[in-house]
Amino acid sequence: MNGRFPIAMHIMTLLCAADDYLSSDYMAGSINVNPVLVRKELSNLIKHQLIISREGKNGGYTLGKPATYISLASIYKAVKQGNILGQAKNQPNPACPIGKQINDHLKSLDNEIEQAMLNKLGTTNLAEFCKKFD
């Protein structure tokens, strides 16, 4: 797991709760991180069509579609980076009966865990999640 999902969820929840466009500086203040990190994630969320931006004095960011149409799984997929269980940096010894198979079995396990997580995240949309903060 990486730190991008919590930041993306914080951004998306702020945008869900907002009545108007929000600035990256405002969001960075809420998340308590550097605005550059927030802008990087905003750019990624735009690329995945989850949010939109507007230039100018009254510009900023807002959701790209109604929150009821944004599943938590779609947010996760937008920021996913690699395996949930991690990945070894080294290649195991192919002559070892365990070593020659371990990565395949770990990859299979990782896929099963990720699918279970996506199934769970897919049952909740952003609007439902946002209601937790009322």
Side-chain angles (χ1 to χ4, degrees), residues 59-72:
Y61 302 86
T62 192
L63 295 178
K65 54 183 121 180
T68 53
Y69 293 114
I70 301 172
S71 73
L72 301 189

Side-chain angles (χ1 to χ4, degrees), residues 9-122:
M9 282 298 300
H10 198 140
I11 290 169
M12 296 297 289
T13 305
L14 286 168
L15 295 176
C16 179
D19 294 328
D20 204 358
Y21 285 72
L22 296 181
S23 72
S24 58
D25 287 339
Y26 174 84
M27 290 184 267
S30 176
I31 302 169
N32 201 24
V33 296
N34 189 308
V36 172
L37 183 62
V38 170
R39 283 190 284 276
K40 179 180 175 190
E41 205 55 69
L42 288 166
S43 175
N44 182 57
L45 293 169
I46 289 170
K47 184 177 95 178
H48 285 88
Q49 302 176 337
L50 295 173
I51 66 172
I52 56 173
S53 65
R54 181 170 71 187
E55 300 285 326
K57 181 181 170 215
N58 296 321
Y61 302 86
T62 192
L63 295 178
K65 54 183 121 180
T68 53
Y69 293 114
I70 301 172
S71 73
L72 301 189
S74 67
I75 299 169
Y76 173 78
K77 288 177 187 176
V79 299
K80 180 183 181 318
Q81 288 184 309
N83 299 334
I84 292 174
L85 299 177
Q87 189 157 351
K89 304 282 186 229
N90 62 310
Q91 282 298 323
N93 183 346
C96 172
I98 302 296
K100 69 182 179 184
Q101 298 180 53
I102 190 76
N103 284 339
D104 290 339
H105 292 298
L106 289 174
K107 176 109 176 96
S108 177
L109 181 61
D110 186 87
N111 289 339
E112 290 173 28
I113 291 168
E114 182 173 54
Q115 192 55 57
M117 184 179 68
L118 285 170
N119 290 344
K120 175 62 179 166
L121 290 173

